[in-house]
Amino acid sequence: MGRSPCCSSDDANLKKGPWTPEEDEKLLDYINTHGHGNWKTLPKHAGLNRCGKSCRLRWANYLRPDIKRGRFSEEEERLIVNLHSTLGNKWSKIATYLPGRTDNEIKNFWNTHIRKKLLNMGLEPNTHKPRTDLNHLLNLTQLICAAQLGSLMNPWESSALKVQADAAQLLQNLIQTLNTNQLSTITAGLINGTSSLYADEPAPVPQKFHSMSGDFLISELVSESPETATTSMNQMGDDKTNTNHYYSTMSPADTSMFQAWEKLMGDETDSSFWKDILDLTSSPSSPIQR
DNA sequence: AAGTGCTGCAACCGCCGATAA
DNA sequence: CTTATCGGCGGTTGCAGCACT
């Protein structure tokens, strides 16, 4: 069975592509006086040579009077990220929480802005968790090589470079460790605020996670409503106690590595260093990538 | 000034669920 | 119960405008 495409008949004669102001006016006039009613028959009645679906989309995404135009505010952006972390790519659902914004607009905004932002922060946009794909880290290897080579060729500049190379090396070791099963579970707990190792304990949510770009708040929402989502975001705070709690489950070697990492993250100067690394590794024009 | 690449956004395509016949 | 139709949704594409070389 299945269904035929909505505009299969007379397809060749139906207009496609961008709408003209005249078409917009016809559609607006018709809907304002008659309401949209049946979208399938609307174009005929409105004197439009378009398929009903095209008319519906034009109305919903552009002509509707309650549409808010212009840039997304920071508040809206934050809300979208939060809602996406719980709802996934349910753009129409997300749109119901942003009055005046269409699902299409939000989807576009996500794909063109937020997605890139999260990637640059070292986060997987679909899961909102740190990226574990090693492709991303290949650049780090290159960075380490470059830094080490630099120190060979330019010994008098070597100390700063060495610090950077050491930091990058540490990060790589850390990620490598994270790829082992046990630690993945632990860090998943650190990040999510839920750990299968401590399933019987109340999950400390949401947590603060120190990402590669410095301190970044990941709100893994447990709540269903966006109202609570926003509130929990605002209520987020540092949670060292829980971090120490997780340390207690690691081997001494892993613990010292994590502590070294934390020290690195706690250092004001180092956070700019990580930003530089991220810029280097993510920028398409990066000399490292050439 | 011309060519090229990138970005953002409007619109299209194809699938799915609900529902009417 | 089966089939056809519609509205809605998410993914993808195409193009205009802009930035850069």
Side-chain angles (χ1 to χ4, degrees):
Chain A
M1 148 179 115
R3 53 173 301 231
S4 54
C6 97
C7 310
S8 58
S9 57
D10 306 328
D11 230 2
N13 303 324
L14 290 175
K15 191 175 173 230
K16 286 184 181 180
W19 281 64
T20 63
E22 293 74 35
E23 287 177 310
D24 280 346
E25 205 181 323
K26 276 185 186 176
L27 183 59
L28 259 176
D29 281 352
Y30 183 84
I31 293 179
N32 284 339
T33 45
H34 303 94
H36 65 70
N38 186 328
W39 285 111
K40 177 94 177 171
T41 56
L42 181 144
K44 207 175 179 181
H45 294 139
L48 287 161
N49 189 29
R50 294 267 182 178
C51 97
K53 204 170 190 174
S54 179
C55 295
R56 185 178 60 80
L57 235 63
R58 184 64 180 170
W59 170 256
N61 291 333
Y62 196 81
L63 296 174
R64 240 174 47 199
D66 57 329
I67 286 181
K68 193 202 277 184
R69 303 237 144 242
R71 297 179 66 85
F72 281 78
S73 67
E74 271 188 38
E75 189 57 37
E76 285 177 312
E77 184 176 331
R78 227 177 320 159
L79 188 54
I80 292 170
V81 174
N82 269 311
L83 290 167
H84 186 270
S85 72
T86 44
L87 300 170
N89 294 0
K90 302 286 175 201
W91 306 116
S92 56
K93 266 266 188 292
I94 293 173
T96 60
Y97 296 102
L98 287 109
R101 300 293 189 183
T102 69
D103 52 355
N104 205 36
E105 203 179 1
I106 295 169
K107 180 172 59 183
N108 282 333
F109 183 62
W110 175 270
N111 287 327
T112 55
H113 293 92
I114 303 180
R115 206 172 165 276
K116 284 178 199 164
K117 228 177 192 177
L118 292 180
L119 282 171
N120 279 348
M121 286 168 157
L123 297 170
E124 188 56 54
N126 292 332
T127 58
H128 296 240
K129 293 188 171 93
R131 296 169 71 181
T132 51
D133 60 303
L134 294 177
N135 290 342
H136 182 58
L137 296 169
L138 284 177
N139 295 327
L140 274 175
T141 315
Q142 291 171 315
L143 186 74
I144 292 163
C145 292
Q148 285 169 347
L149 185 69
S151 69
L152 273 177
M153 297 174 77
N154 238 348
W156 48 91
E157 283 179 10
S158 66
S159 71
L161 282 165
K162 186 172 183 313
V163 171
Q164 296 198 353
D166 288 347
Q169 187 72 63
L170 172 64
L171 176 62
Q172 271 214 317
N173 292 344
L174 190 62
I175 300 289
Q176 215 166 359
T177 312
L178 290 184
N179 280 333
T180 67
N181 283 339
Q182 194 202 356
L183 273 169
S184 305
T185 317
I186 294 168
T187 43
L190 272 171
I191 293 155
N192 283 332
T194 53
S195 165
S196 58
L197 293 174
Y198 294 94
D200 52 334
E201 292 181 17
V205 222
Q207 287 263 357
K208 191 178 191 184
F209 173 68
H210 303 281
S211 85
M212 290 187 279
S213 56
D215 285 354
F216 178 72
L217 298 175
I218 298 182
S219 174
E220 289 291 335
L221 296 177
V222 174
S223 56
E224 290 296 321
S225 78
E227 289 79 13
T228 18
T230 324
T231 327
S232 28
M233 274 196 82
N234 296 333
Q235 287 171 347
M236 268 187 241
D238 211 336
D239 202 345
K240 284 234 159 75
T241 332
N242 283 310
T243 313
N244 291 333
H245 180 57
Y246 287 112
Y247 280 161
S248 67
T249 67
M250 301 176 191
S251 75
D254 293 336
T255 306
S256 64
M257 187 156 55
F258 270 86
Q259 280 167 348
W261 168 257
E262 200 170 53
K263 182 173 177 294
L264 202 62
M265 289 289 93
D267 190 327
E268 194 70 49
T269 49
D270 280 335
S271 63
S272 67
F273 159 66
W274 288 111
K275 192 177 176 304
D276 290 345
I277 284 206
L278 284 166
D279 288 346
L280 272 172
T281 55
S282 59
S283 157
S285 57
S286 159
I288 287 175
Q289 293 201 328
R290 291 210 185 109

